[in-house]
């Protein structure tokens, strides 16, 4: 049995009456579920166990919460012990919650019953490897990105020892899972930042384009889709570190949209900055979203897609420059909006950074977008049914 | 044609090229929509025009944003002129956006095409009637609630000259409508607070209970449902003020859940505090959620439902104490959660306040919930196709 050091849970588990009540409740909760809970996508589940964690290759759910946490100094006998406890707790909780089952001693078990494709994806920040005395086991890719002159990074959206990425097609299981997962490790780790994001609702359907961001653009047309591409570009194969086989590296960048000035721009100028039509998402040289852009095409000697258009610079120039985009819109209560840009790849420096460098240098869109946060995490390999997240690292 | 005083829009409307571009765009946007946009609930629309505004009797959508604004002093020749301009702009924008059409000179027209039952509901705060020189036309109910000893009101969640309530089953049209509606009145009114809320996703379905709040309780079992109840309890009939016929009064209270202490309570104690079972939502004297509670029932001389249980005090004791509950969960980035409790009634002092008084005095739940915000608004009557929001007031 996993060691569970949090106070609340201990209190529940050691109070006899509470244990009895919880046990009876879980039984009745399950019975209710079996009786009535078959309709609607709330019942849909994503597997938790496997070679890879869910939440990366998983078809993007409508909602996402990204939480970065820092290990609390002195919370356990050592940072390694604290990390091990966190990862065991999260494994136990996520294995249940993603399958529509209450966590152990879940205090709101009814909120767990309709996961709506809930996924929980866990990553480690670069500094953790030093903290646990294993700097030699850090994947090269799990390092902060270089800084770019156009960035305006705010510490409050940067870094973190741990990443908790929680996605579902319904906000109730997201909120519940977030509460449970944070509460159960409270004595061991403190939230550093939290970013909430959304895409179009499940079942609302679209006009057939890729998701749109709040600037009105289709976002993520050039993306990995085939399983072979995931093996090549996303999933680590264990060459550098055997323990990391099946993992990947996530880069979470908070990109603010400068809506006021963007909205002053006419549509033709917006489309020139993007290199795509706003309505269909087609490149300026094509008719449909997925038409291959023709960067050589000219009209009266002038390139149809300007050389500094976003897609001209973002387009892969080598076979390495591919990565998974899995971003979410944000629209905060203060009226600021933008994109929680989430990129997943084996080697950011080879796959993602060359693209970022080109964009930072010349992207016509830079006048209307500002990167205000950046964090990199080693997304742990998937978990076999008898294991826990990070076990190959911690027992390496 | 409605006078449109905002700078950005003026610029667009007076720039010849921009007008031409926007016109062409809208035509192509509509064509695209007709061709491909039939599947999914994104296309579902709620009527904008009618005797009552939508968003009150409307079956609750999955997402809601409540924004309070204050009129900017000196923004127009008079507050009355500023208010008239705001209400004409919102009428024009909401009539289009709710029907899946871009607003006039919409800078992100594609985000408008799938409204997913978008509703925009507009109300006036108590102080506005003085500001426009019409204190005699203020409905009695549109007044701040009395304060209660248990409340811990924070000014940042209280009051406001105007309410903009935006609901839909998809967050993209909510974000887009919020942006358009706030931007287009920016020179006339400033946001004071914004509260985002959610219920279960559209199509996720539930276990057959009413929505659950994040404390795990079914929330809103005792609610108005029949059309006759709406006429009796919600919609003003124009007795006090003819201009207000078809309107109602909204009270928006932000109720924080004290999750840490709530989660320390065992389930039996939680159910005693509520007077209902957590799993089914049934009263402690019944078997199903909608069974009528029996407050006289005793077991061994002890009431089965404690007299200070939430439902015992919230239960209507006179024929007047009924109102519409249409609340939304909130879960903010700082980890605080609770309910944006929205109540709609003709006369809060007669219908809602007696219940609040009982709850404030003795509700067993008070140990685990704290009201931190409160605001009251006169929800304007509905709009005929040739009118604008508030016209009967402003031309009275």
């Amino acid at each position: 049995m996993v060691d569970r050091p949090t106070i609340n849970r201990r209190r529940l588990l050691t109070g006899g009456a509470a244990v009895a009540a919880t046990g009876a409740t879980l039984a009745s909760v399950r019975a209710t579920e079996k009786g009535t809970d078959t309709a609607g996508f709330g019942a849909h589940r994503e597997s938790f166990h496997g070679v890879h964690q869910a939440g990366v290759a998983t078809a993007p759910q409508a909602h996402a919460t990204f939480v970065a946490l820092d290990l609390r100094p002195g919370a356990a006998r050592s940072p390694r012990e604290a990390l091990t406890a966190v990862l065991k707790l999260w494994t136990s909780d996520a294995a249940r919650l993603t399958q529509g089952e209450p966590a152990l001693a879940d205090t709101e078990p009814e909120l767990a019953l309709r996961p709506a494709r809930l996924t929980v994806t866990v990553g480690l920040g670069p500094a953790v490897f030093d903290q646990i005395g294993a700097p030699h086991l850090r994947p090269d890719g799990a390092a902060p990105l270089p800084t770019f002159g156009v960035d305006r990074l705010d510490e409050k959206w940067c870094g973190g020892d741990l990443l908790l990425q929680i996605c579902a097609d319904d906000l109730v299981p997201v909120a519940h899972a977030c509460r449970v997962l944070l509460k159960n490790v409270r004595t061991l780790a403190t939230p550093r930042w939290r970013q909430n994001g959304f895409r179009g609702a499940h079942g609302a359907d679209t006009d057939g384009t890729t998701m749109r961001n709040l600037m009105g653009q289709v976002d993520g047309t050039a993306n990995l889709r085939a399983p072979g591409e995931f093996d090549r570009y996303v999933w680590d194969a264990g060459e550098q570190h055997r323990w990391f086989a099946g993992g990947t590296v996530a880069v979470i960048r908070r990109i603010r949209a400068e809506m006021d000035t963007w909205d002053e721009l006419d549509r033709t100028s917006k489309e020139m900055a993007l290199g795509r039509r706003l309505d269909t998402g087609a490149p300026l040289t094509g008719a449909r979203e997925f038409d291959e852009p023709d960067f050589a095409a000219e009209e009266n000697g002038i390139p149809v897609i300007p050389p500094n258009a976003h897609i001209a610079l973002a387009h892969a120039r080598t076979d390495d420059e591919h990565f998974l985009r899995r971003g979410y819109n944000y629209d905060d209560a203060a009226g600021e909006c933008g994109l929680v840009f989430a990129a997943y790849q084996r080697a950011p420096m080879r796959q993602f950074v060359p693209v970022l460098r080109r964009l930072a240098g010349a992207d016509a869109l830079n006048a209307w977008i500002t990167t205000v946060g950046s964090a990199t995490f080693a997304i742990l390999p998937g978990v076999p049914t008898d294991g826990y997240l990070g076990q190959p690292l911690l027992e390496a």
Side-chain angles (χ1 to χ4, degrees), chain A residues 22-99:
Chain A
T22 305
T25 298
L26 292 188
S28 82
V29 157
R30 304 298 304 162
T32 307
E33 185 195 12
K34 288 205 181 86
T36 61
D37 191 27
T38 50
F41 65 76
H44 294 181
R45 293 158 167 78
E46 295 285 347
S47 294
F48 176 74
H49 295 101
V51 176
H52 312 297
Q53 287 194 74
V56 178
T58 307
Q61 298 97 325
H63 303 282
T65 287
F66 299 86
V67 188
L69 301 93
D70 291 326
L71 288 173
R72 265 184 203 270
R77 270 170 299 183
S78 69
R80 171 179 284 264
E81 191 175 276
L83 179 66
T84 307
V86 167
L87 295 176
K88 284 182 175 177
L89 284 161
W90 281 353
T91 303
S92 159
D93 290 341
R96 287 177 175 80
L97 291 170
T98 57
Q99 303 311 302

Side-chain angles (χ1 to χ4, degrees), chain A residues 69-360:
Chain A
L69 301 93
D70 291 326
L71 288 173
R72 265 184 203 270
R77 270 170 299 183
S78 69
R80 171 179 284 264
E81 191 175 276
L83 179 66
T84 307
V86 167
L87 295 176
K88 284 182 175 177
L89 284 161
W90 281 353
T91 303
S92 159
D93 290 341
R96 287 177 175 80
L97 291 170
T98 57
Q99 303 311 302
E101 294 168 22
L104 284 183
D106 197 322
T107 45
E108 283 77 32
E110 286 81 5
L111 300 185
L113 303 184
R114 278 160 296 286
R117 298 208 298 127
L118 177 72
T119 55
V120 173
T121 316
V122 174
L124 302 185
V128 165
F129 297 89
D130 295 322
Q131 291 180 56
I132 63 170
H136 57 291
L137 293 180
R138 180 176 62 75
D140 281 347
L145 294 200
T147 51
F148 303 97
V150 291
D151 293 351
R152 293 292 173 266
L153 299 183
D154 182 335
E155 266 306 302
K156 78 175 172 187
W157 304 120
C158 292
D161 289 343
L162 292 154
L163 173 73
L164 196 52
Q165 172 194 305
I166 305 171
C167 302
D169 283 325
D170 187 335
L171 273 171
V172 175
V174 171
H176 177 63
C178 190
R179 164 92 189 143
V180 168
L181 294 165
L182 292 183
K183 181 176 70 167
N184 288 347
V185 303
R186 186 183 289 171
T187 56
L188 302 165
T190 348
R192 180 186 177 96
W193 50 254
R194 174 172 169 183
Q195 305 189 48
N196 297 331
F198 59 94
R199 294 169 161 243
H202 177 99
D205 289 351
T206 68
D207 51 5
T209 64
T210 301
M211 95 154 198
R212 286 186 188 275
N213 64 36
L214 296 178
M215 297 170 87
Q217 313 158 3
V218 300
D219 200 306
T221 304
N223 213 348
L224 305 183
R225 283 178 181 85
E229 293 180 317
F230 278 80
D231 285 336
R232 172 154 184 198
Y233 293 113
V234 177
W235 303 126
D236 192 277
E239 297 100 331
Q240 190 194 6
H241 299 293
R242 270 188 62 184
W243 78 265
F244 197 48
T248 184
V249 177
V251 179
I252 314 292
R253 305 212 3 127
R254 187 172 180 89
I255 304 177
R256 187 175 68 209
E258 310 298 352
M259 291 301 291
D260 289 344
T261 48
W262 177 248
D263 281 351
E264 291 180 355
L265 209 60
D266 64 88
R267 281 179 69 95
T268 307
S269 304
K270 286 182 175 178
E271 292 178 339
M272 296 289 275
L274 283 171
R276 292 190 181 277
R277 305 253 172 248
L278 286 164
D279 54 359
T280 58
L284 297 181
T285 53
R288 281 174 302 271
E289 184 190 348
F290 290 97
D291 288 350
E292 193 62 29
D294 177 0
F295 297 110
E298 297 192 344
E299 237 176 56
N300 306 321
I302 296 166
V304 177
I305 298 174
N308 68 335
H310 181 73
I311 64 164
L313 295 163
H315 193 264
R317 297 198 180 169
T318 72
D319 270 357
D320 283 334
E321 294 178 4
H322 297 278
F323 49 90
L324 178 70
R325 295 154 166 88
R326 198 175 189 279
Y328 283 86
N329 297 312
Y330 75 86
D331 180 28
D332 76 13
E336 179 186 309
C337 72
L339 197 68
V340 185
F341 186 92
Y344 304 81
Q345 58 276 300
R346 300 169 67 156
M349 285 304 291
R350 201 173 66 228
Q351 298 173 253
F352 183 36
V353 170
V355 177
L356 277 182
R357 252 191 241 289
R358 280 198 301 275
L359 293 171

